[in-house]
Amino acid sequence: MRAVRSSSVAILLALSLAACAGTAAPSPSPSPVPSRERPVQPSTGPSPSPSVAPADSDLALLVLPPEDPPEVRMAIPGQRVCFLVVLEDRTGSSDPATIAATAEGATVEAIEPAELVPGVVGEVWVVPDPATTETTASVTITASRGGDVLSESRSLPIFPMADERGADAEPHFERWLAWLIAEHPELGITADTAWDPEFVSILLVVSHYAYWSDEWEMTIAWHNMIAPYDWSEVHLRRRGTDAAPSLAFKVDSVSGGTEPYAITPPEVVVR
């Protein structure tokens, strides 16, 4: 992996250490009932606001992750990056809007679904162009219905490195997968569930990696430290329904074989 410029290192290290501190004292989440419960500090993540059409419009468009801070959304060339899209209608109408997307420095790969019903969580997938130096791409997502047109733009910082985390992530994923199958069959995850691995986040100290099934986005996070600080977490977001992870679990020490327990999920998805 190429060396990160000192300014980038400082930013990413600070964010990573903040993530470590934020998960040091996790708390129980709603159902399913955890195997044991512990108190947690409340999450203080960003609270994104929707893009609102003119005053006479009933629509609002929400794109996640939010624009700030862009560092947590830093991608690598060739990574499949997913933005979540939610359409809100103040009248309660279920009429769909057409979702479109354009990108500079990246290619729009897929829009799922292209006709988005209010309340459904859509996905816009983009792939950053090849790069040999740090650069910034941009993505603009538009929702159109009748005479209403709403747009939200996101910067996409690109860091020129290869995906070198897949092998490190795999043992964490396999342990969490086996535990979820055994302990939470109500989630519908089985040994036959197919998963697509995706690189996410170049944050230091705390590594992340994502796995996608037809129903779930599963993000694995692990602390690159020795016991007893070698914790591991799993965050689960139900596709089409959740705009952020709705379930999360943690083990305090992987090497120590500590028991998993439920924690408060992150307020935003990790990209």
Side-chain angles (χ1 to χ4, degrees):
M1 182 175 107
R2 303 190 182 193
V4 184
R5 291 202 305 250
S6 59
S7 60
S8 298
V9 170
I11 293 171
L12 295 173
L13 183 57
L15 289 166
S16 300
L17 293 175
C20 296
T23 54
S27 76
S29 299
S31 62
V33 177
S35 53
R36 59 189 175 116
E37 299 180 349
R38 298 184 179 184
V40 65
Q41 299 296 326
S43 177
T44 57
S47 299
S49 299
S51 171
V52 181
D56 59 349
S57 171
D58 298 321
L59 295 177
L61 175 67
L62 179 65
V63 175
L64 297 166
E67 176 60 21
D68 294 319
E71 291 80 12
V72 301
R73 209 171 49 256
M74 187 172 285
I76 63 174
Q79 174 187 342
R80 297 179 70 241
V81 180
C82 179
F83 290 93
L84 303 182
V85 183
V86 182
L87 185 67
E88 300 175 358
D89 190 303
R90 299 184 188 90
T91 69
S93 170
S94 59
D95 292 341
T98 300
I99 305 300
T102 59
E104 294 184 5
T107 300
V108 177
E109 183 184 72
I111 299 174
E112 302 171 349
E115 296 294 320
L116 185 64
V117 174
V120 173
V121 180
E123 298 171 357
V124 172
W125 291 84
V126 300
V127 179
D129 294 343
T132 57
T133 59
E134 289 186 54
T135 185
T136 300
S138 64
V139 179
T140 299
I141 297 170
T142 302
S144 304
R145 191 181 72 180
D148 293 331
V149 179
L150 301 88
S151 291
E152 278 283 317
S153 295
R154 294 289 179 268
S155 61
L156 186 59
I158 309 300
F159 185 75
M161 63 173 277
D163 179 358
E164 300 174 344
R165 288 194 181 151
D168 293 337
E170 189 68 16
H172 296 276
F173 170 69
E174 294 293 344
R175 277 191 292 267
W176 279 117
L177 182 61
W179 183 79
L180 290 169
I181 291 171
E183 300 297 328
H184 292 286
E186 74 278 6
L187 300 181
I189 297 172
T190 71
D192 295 326
T193 302
W195 299 91
D196 293 323
E198 296 291 347
F199 180 94
V200 289
S201 175
I202 70 166
L203 290 177
L204 307 173
V205 183
V206 178
S207 295
H208 296 75
Y209 215 81
Y211 297 83
W212 295 74
S213 71
D214 289 342
E215 187 174 2
W216 295 99
E217 175 187 5
M218 179 192 300
T219 301
I220 307 297
W222 65 97
H223 195 202
N224 295 296
M225 295 289 283
I226 61 173
Y229 309 107
D230 56 333
W231 54 259
S232 177
E233 294 181 357
V234 59
H235 311 149
L236 291 160
R237 180 186 72 85
R238 194 180 294 272
R239 299 177 71 178
T241 302
D242 297 335
S246 54
L247 294 169
F249 302 92
K250 179 177 181 176
V251 294
D252 288 330
S253 175
V254 173
S255 61
T258 58
E259 183 182 359
Y261 57 95
I263 59 173
T264 300
E267 289 192 356
V268 295
V269 291
V270 174
R271 292 290 181 259

